[in-house]
Amino acid sequence: MTAPPPKTAPPPVNRPLLPSAAQIAPYLERIDASRWYTNRGPLLVELEQRLCALAGLPEQALTLTASGTAALEAAILATAGPASAARPHALIPSYTFPATALAAERCGYRPWFVDVDPATMAVDPRALARHPQLARCGVILPVAAYGMRPDLAAYERLRAETGIAVVVDAAAAFEQVLAHRLISEQVPLALSFHATKSFSTGEGGAVLWGAAEGYAEISRIINFGFLEGRETRSPGLNGKLSDYHAAVGLAMLDIWPERQAAQAGVAALYRRSAADCGLDGALLLTPEVSSAYALLRCRDASQAAGVTERLTRRGMDWRRWYEGGVHRMRHFAALPRDALPGTEELAATLIGLPTAIDLSRDALDPVLRAAAG
Ligand SMILES: Cc1ncc(COP(=O)(O)O)c(C=O)c1O
């Protein structure tokens, strides 16, 4: 009797692959030799420089941080400062990962949830410029959902028209930064380099900001509010990235071109498989969104319910990455908000499908067949 062919497990919704121990080792040896483990060590400085060069940005346009959340906190404190009694609110889209709202809370703000346009998955800057709460708002936090390209020029106009600080949560938008050299003097972007993102240091993040004082400001804020000397001069936090994390990032940069090609290859497989299943046009993939996501946009909530029911029944992994919007989460449920029809529509119709840099057609075909019904 011949043994049945081994059954491959369905792919998890996200399966990161970071550089191997062997690829990181030469950088770790440099840390062993220098005995400089954190606090702006040589590897961190080198990673900042290489990232700026890769993105075609001036040196010091980017400050590495311990996480994307730390980058958000630092950028809020640098541009808006902590909340005040006169301006207690932060305007935040509900269609996001909770870190956006948590970062605002850590800076003392009370989130006020606003809606997004389902077409762009982003806030409408013109609508926000007329928002009734503006006079009580200290900071506005648009989100580049799934790493889509943020309309930086529109956010700069929003900042100029309202005089209110704007910080873009561009957690997953690193590839858009590279493709479009995104940088602004007025509006900082916060990036995440978490393991699930396309470029990663394991945990990590960065503030991207073109203001002359931006680099020194962020570096001070993430270092307890001091840089030279040890006297705290501003609000701050410990938001530093260690040189160990920088080692992972440097090893990642060494293989970045091959990784980008592999990610584009997976997106091409997805498109072909979707066409074979009659789902062409329904997928959102790189380069429109970050290569860390493969999203199925359903016609309506009832189609989405059918898709998720079939995926679950066949043991396939899927995720609503932004759940039902953060306004539905227990911690945020009592906070003030606008009507959120765009958020509700996206939450009901957008389904995250498995992604990985080494996903094969054999692994993703059954997922799309199940999704198609
Ligand atoms: C939209 C968004 N904002 C913020 C974050 C937080 O980034 P980090 O996990 O690096 O703190 C994430 C992470 O997934 C995110 O997706």
Side-chain angles (χ1 to χ4, degrees):
M1 214 174 88
T2 50
K7 229 179 137 194
T8 47
V13 76
N14 185 296
R15 190 161 185 237
L17 181 66
L18 269 65
S20 66
Q23 287 164 329
I24 302 167
Y27 294 105
L28 296 183
E29 282 161 16
R30 282 174 53 190
I31 297 177
D32 288 347
S34 71
R35 296 173 60 175
W36 197 337
Y37 306 105
T38 187
N39 287 9
R40 296 197 51 73
L43 271 69
L44 176 125
V45 172
E46 184 178 327
L47 180 57
E48 285 183 343
Q49 289 170 347
R50 280 181 64 183
L51 285 169
C52 286
L54 180 71
L57 296 171
E59 264 192 36
Q60 303 202 332
L62 176 148
T63 317
L64 287 166
T65 58
S67 66
T69 311
L72 278 168
E73 286 179 36
I76 294 169
L77 292 175
T79 52
S84 65
R87 291 187 177 269
H89 288 302
L91 297 186
I92 300 173
S94 171
Y95 196 64
T96 185
F97 184 71
T100 324
L102 288 172
E105 284 191 335
R106 299 275 300 167
C107 300
Y109 290 92
R110 189 157 195 250
W112 184 295
F113 294 118
V114 298
D115 205 13
V116 291
D117 175 345
T120 61
M121 299 192 211
V123 294
D124 174 354
R126 278 166 312 182
L128 285 191
R130 300 186 302 272
H131 195 279
Q133 287 300 320
L134 276 189
R136 308 253 306 139
C137 166
V139 66
I140 303 173
L141 299 176
V143 175
Y146 304 110
M148 289 173 87
R149 183 180 179 179
D151 188 347
L152 212 42
Y155 297 141
E156 286 175 338
R157 282 195 296 278
L158 177 65
R159 173 142 192 25
E161 278 171 32
T162 61
I164 297 172
V166 178
V167 172
V168 180
D169 181 346
F174 180 67
E175 286 147 300
Q176 302 290 343
V177 170
L178 296 190
H180 305 289
R181 293 172 83 188
L182 295 181
I183 186 87
S184 164
E185 285 180 25
Q186 292 82 34
V187 174
L189 284 84
L191 301 174
S192 166
F193 295 152
H194 183 259
T196 50
K197 301 294 186 287
S198 52
F199 174 83
S200 177
T201 51
E203 287 277 3
V207 176
L208 204 60
W209 192 15
E213 75 287 7
Y215 186 76
E217 281 270 297
I218 299 295
S219 301
R220 192 187 66 246
I221 289 169
I222 61 171
N223 189 51
F224 313 101
F226 61 78
L227 250 195
E228 278 141 20
R230 292 174 57 79
E231 184 200 358
T232 296
R233 292 169 180 222
S234 67
L237 62 144
N238 181 0
K240 289 173 274 119
L241 189 82
S242 79
D243 269 38
Y244 284 106
H245 292 89
V248 177
L250 287 165
M252 184 76 136
L253 275 188
D254 293 340
I255 51 172
W256 181 248
E258 296 94 291
R259 289 182 61 94
Q260 287 247 276
Q263 294 284 19
V266 172
L269 291 182
Y270 247 122
R271 286 193 181 91
R272 255 177 268 147
S273 184
D276 291 351
C277 297
L279 287 173
D280 27 346
L283 290 185
L284 282 169
L285 297 159
T286 181
E288 198 177 346
V289 296
S290 158
S291 56
Y293 299 103
L295 303 167
L296 178 67
R297 190 143 193 188
C298 299
R299 266 189 322 277
D300 52 33
S302 109
Q303 188 197 19
V307 168
T308 54
E309 188 276 322
R310 284 190 298 278
L311 288 170
T312 305
R313 188 156 33 85
R314 295 186 203 178
M316 310 285 173
D317 204 11
W318 59 275
R319 186 173 294 173
R320 284 195 166 87
W321 283 101
Y322 300 152
E323 303 290 330
V326 291
H327 70 285
R328 289 183 177 275
M329 297 183 177
R330 203 177 314 171
H331 176 66
F332 301 115
L335 289 174
R337 58 178 194 253
D338 297 343
L340 301 170
T343 305
E344 303 286 358
E345 181 185 326
L346 285 171
T349 56
L350 208 63
I351 312 293
L353 300 179
T355 41
I357 196 161
D358 51 355
L359 205 59
S360 68
R361 177 103 197 230
D362 284 350
L364 63 84
D365 273 351
V367 176
L368 285 182
R369 277 200 299 272

